[in-house]
């Protein structure tokens, strides 16, 4: 196996384009573990750690925040740049694994691996984020919702590198929350939910919801969001949204919970996220 | 893990039986089937490609038909090994055909699949979903093939049956 350590994105993209079956190496938290378990044997590793310009968080004048692909989870958890409707992304980062993992894993690595139980995918779909992808020929942007396509599957093609993730400022006065239920602290989610809400005199005027750990990709249901909009977020409206979301899910059965169990706790996790986001939206508006 | 599927085919049971017991018609309908070989009247060998995200591998599978009651019941066992990498797959399957009138057949099968080795330790929950989607793809491909052939031979082409293999509620 060959090992490359390019210092520019251009070099990295060139190596990826020329090597058959090469993989990017970001934090290595997942990739190296899979190689050790004999699950992957790439012909070459292209380390992104020395590539200039891939790490860091920038907030633009319009309020959107761009997170470089090589930004570690801890840096996102600690940033003051994400607030209002973007705050749940920071909250999700803070709930990933434990300190060692948060100092090692990167946002680019997490979304490229696309584990259905990971935290970033659900938070980024909720926050309506955009993923910037580059290969040796072109650069493109894709909505987080369309980026995740299946179990460990994404819109990435051979030769592509995730360069950054951008989170729009979103609706003014919005509050957001990410709620995760895991068997033990630091584990992947059994079920998770992201919520962005905006209120006007106690009435919900904007809602965006995604749930994680309940299907191959984060699940959004327009009708569930519509149950909240116009409501005062009373228990019955939130429960109705939970029912619609559960109906659209198809969770796996594994040691983190049976399919039935995940569907059963989903409405409760959603309700927790809604109540947190609501308090935050009320404080903002 | 257990995998079960039921689907409807708009063709007479004898024709469905003939197709489903003939490796030449079944193999092209199996997603990822790279090649097959007939070993004896009751045993076949096939190479099947399986992918889960970045993990891609080939299984060399030997299928033995253990019991046949034409045109309604077929039992088989399968045993496969990954080329080079240490995973073994074993499956015990039962297939049942039920005539639904003269030009319609309900196909149902149930398999008990065991996967040990490197792949068995990884993402079994996702593997099970993958297996289910392979089963669904097979059902669609098989139905399309049999019905196309039935239609071209002036069979019961007008009869369109709804398959109940779609993921409920999804
Ligand atoms: C013990 C443990 C606990 C964990 N707990 C959680 C948890 O609770 N929640 C959670 O969400 N995650 C969890 N994770 C996953 C972790 O947070 C990382 O997100 C994950 O390891 C991937 O990030 P990485 O930077 O280490 O990527 P790597 O392991 O380096 O790469 C992962 C994959 O992405 C590809 N890749 C990496 N970067 C790019 C890029 N820029 N462009 C294209 N492809 C790329 C690689 O080729 C590889 O296939 C856990 C991991 C471990 C080991």
């Amino acid at each position: 196996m060959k090992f490359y350590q390019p210092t520019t994105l251009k070099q990295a993209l060139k190596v990826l384009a020329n090597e058959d079956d090469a993989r990017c190496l970001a934090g290595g938290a997942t990739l190296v573990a899979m190689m050790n378990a004999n699950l992957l044997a790439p012909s070459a590793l292209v380390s992104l750690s020395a590539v200039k310009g891939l790490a860091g968080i920038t907030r633009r004048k319009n309020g959107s925040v761009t997170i470089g692909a090589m930004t570690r989870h801890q840096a996102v958890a600690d940033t003051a740049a994400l607030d209002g409707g973007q705050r749940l992304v920071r909250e999700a980062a803070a709930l990933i694994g434990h300190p060692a993992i948060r100092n090692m894993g990167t946002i680019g690595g997490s979304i490229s691996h696309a584990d259905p139980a990971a935290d970033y995918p659900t938070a980024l779909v909720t926050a309506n984020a955009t993923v910037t992808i580059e290969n040796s020929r072109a650069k493109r942007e894709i909505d987080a919702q369309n980026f995740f396509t299946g179990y460990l599957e994404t819109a990435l093609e051979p030769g592509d590198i995730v360069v950054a993730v951008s989170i729009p400022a979103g609706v003014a006065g919005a509050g957001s929350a990410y709620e995760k239920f895991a068997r033990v602290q630091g584990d992947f989610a059994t079920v998770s939910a992201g919520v962005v809400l905006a209120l006007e005199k106690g009435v919900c005027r904007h809602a965006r919801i995604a749930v994680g750990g309940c299907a191959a990709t984060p699940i959004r249901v327009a009708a569930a969001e519509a149950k909240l909009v116009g409501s005062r977020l009373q228990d019955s409206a939130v429960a109705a949204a939970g029912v619609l979301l559960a109906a659209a899910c198809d969770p796996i059965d594994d040691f983190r919970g049976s399919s039935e169990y995940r569907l059963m706790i989903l409405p409760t996790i959603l309700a927790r996220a809604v109540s947190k986001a609501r308090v935050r939206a009320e404080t903002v508006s | 893990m257990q995998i079960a599927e039921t689907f409807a085919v708009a063709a007479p049971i004898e024709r469905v039986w003939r197709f489903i017991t003939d490796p030449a018609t079944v193999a092209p309908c199996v997603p990822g089937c790279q090649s097959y070989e007939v070993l004896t009247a009751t045993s076949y060998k096939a190479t099947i490609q399986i992918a889960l995200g970045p993990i891609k591998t080939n299984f060399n599978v030997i299928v033995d038909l253990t019991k046949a009651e034409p045109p309604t019941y077929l039992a088989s066992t399968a045993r496969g090994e990954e080329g080079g990498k240490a995973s073994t797959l074993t499956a015990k399957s039962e297939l049942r055909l039920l005539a639904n009138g003269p030009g319609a057949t309900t196909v149902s099968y149930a398999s008990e699949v065991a996967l040990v080795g490197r792949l068995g330790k990884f993402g079994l929950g996702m593997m099970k979903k993958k297996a289910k989607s392979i089963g669904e793809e097979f059902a669609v491909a098989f139905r399309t093939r049999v019905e196309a052939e039935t239609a071209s031979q002036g069979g019961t082409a007008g009869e369109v049956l709804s398959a109940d293999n779609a993921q409920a509620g999804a």
Side-chain angles (χ1 to χ4, degrees):
Chain A
M1 189 190 67
K2 286 180 248 177
F3 182 81
Y4 296 91
Q5 183 126 41
T7 55
T8 66
L9 183 60
K10 211 174 157 185
Q11 286 172 0
L13 291 170
K14 199 172 158 195
V15 177
L16 270 187
N18 294 337
E19 281 280 349
D20 241 15
D21 195 31
R23 296 206 77 81
C24 291
L25 175 67
T30 296
L31 180 52
V32 174
M34 287 178 85
M35 287 168 64
N36 288 340
N38 196 22
L39 289 165
L40 288 178
S43 65
L45 287 181
V46 182
S47 168
L48 301 181
S49 54
V51 174
K52 285 181 212 77
L54 280 187
I57 302 170
T58 336
R59 190 181 170 95
R60 289 178 211 291
K61 278 213 185 70
N62 66 8
S64 77
V65 173
T66 297
I67 306 173
M70 284 299 286
T71 310
R72 313 280 158 176
H73 307 327
Q74 193 61 48
V76 177
D78 291 341
T79 185
L82 295 164
D83 59 18
Q86 304 162 326
R87 174 174 173 173
L88 86 157
V89 175
R90 160 156 68 91
E91 206 160 35
L95 288 171
I96 297 176
H98 41 80
I101 294 301
R102 291 197 289 276
N103 284 312
M104 194 177 179
T106 65
I107 192 166
S110 173
I111 67 168
S112 300
H113 181 60
D115 191 305
D119 296 297
Y120 270 136
T122 305
L124 293 173
V125 168
T126 313
N128 197 17
T130 304
V131 181
T132 305
I133 301 164
E134 231 175 292
N135 58 41
S136 59
R137 299 171 313 271
K139 185 172 176 167
R140 66 189 195 277
E141 291 198 334
I142 179 163
D143 285 351
Q145 193 163 348
N146 297 322
F147 178 82
F148 301 104
T149 55
Y151 292 107
L152 311 182
E153 280 171 16
T154 66
L156 291 174
E157 309 264 354
D160 280 347
I161 291 182
V162 170
V163 182
V165 174
S166 295
I167 300 133
V171 175
S176 65
Y178 179 77
E179 188 72 27
K180 168 177 180 175
F181 180 82
R183 298 170 307 161
V184 291
Q185 201 185 352
D187 191 17
F188 279 89
T190 303
V191 171
S192 69
V195 173
V196 178
L197 296 175
L199 308 173
E200 207 170 293
K201 297 197 180 80
V203 176
C204 176
R205 61 179 169 86
H206 170 82
R208 218 178 133 97
I209 308 169
V211 296
C214 286
T217 61
I219 293 292
R220 261 190 83 211
V221 174
E225 293 166 1
K227 286 275 179 212
L228 300 191
V229 175
S231 81
R232 306 190 77 87
L233 299 176
Q234 65 274 26
D235 292 351
S236 59
V238 179
V243 168
L244 287 173
L245 281 158
C249 290
D250 179 23
I252 59 171
D253 267 318
D254 73 357
F255 53 91
R256 291 197 178 95
S258 67
S259 179
E260 293 76 20
Y261 176 67
R262 289 172 203 256
L263 293 178
M264 193 185 79
I265 64 171
L266 188 163
T268 307
I269 305 310
L270 173 68
R272 286 182 192 168
V274 168
S275 89
K276 262 195 207 168
R278 172 194 202 161
V279 170
R280 291 171 185 172
E282 278 166 350
T283 323
V284 181
S285 57
Chain B
M1 58 186 167
Q2 250 157 1
I3 300 159
E5 193 78 43
T6 299
F7 60 98
V9 181
I13 190 167
E14 290 77 17
R15 184 184 298 271
V16 176
W17 175 264
R18 193 146 34 78
F19 272 67
I20 215 153
T21 49
D22 181 357
T25 47
V26 169
C29 300
V30 176
C33 184
Q34 310 288 306
S35 62
Y36 77 94
E37 204 183 309
V38 177
L39 302 177
T40 70
T42 57
S43 91
Y44 320 117
K45 191 171 137 185
T47 303
I48 297 168
Q49 192 179 55
I50 296 176
L52 178 64
I55 305 165
K56 292 184 179 62
T57 188
N58 282 323
F59 271 91
N60 297 313
V61 185
I62 291 187
V63 181
D64 283 302
L65 306 183
T66 50
K67 194 173 178 193
E69 291 167 10
T72 55
Y73 178 84
L74 186 67
S76 64
T77 59
R79 190 186 156 80
E81 247 153 47
E82 259 188 297
K85 311 274 179 355
S87 294
T88 312
L89 175 157
T90 49
K92 256 187 132 138
S93 310
E94 282 186 314
L95 173 88
R96 287 191 167 81
L97 301 188
L98 182 72
N100 259 337
T105 306
T106 301
V107 181
S108 55
Y109 67 82
S111 296
E112 177 65 49
V113 184
L115 188 59
V116 292
R118 66 168 194 147
L119 292 176
K121 286 186 217 133
F122 178 80
L124 209 55
M126 288 188 272
M127 286 291 183
K128 194 174 165 184
K129 289 287 185 208
K130 196 91 203 172
K132 185 166 165 53
S133 80
I134 290 174
E136 287 166 1
E137 275 180 58
F138 169 77
V140 171
F142 181 77
R143 182 173 59 232
T144 308
R145 203 181 168 98
V146 178
E147 289 177 2
E149 224 137 305
T150 305
S152 71
Q153 293 175 15
T156 48
E159 247 174 294
V160 178
L161 291 176
S162 71
D164 57 351
N165 63 318
Q167 291 194 15

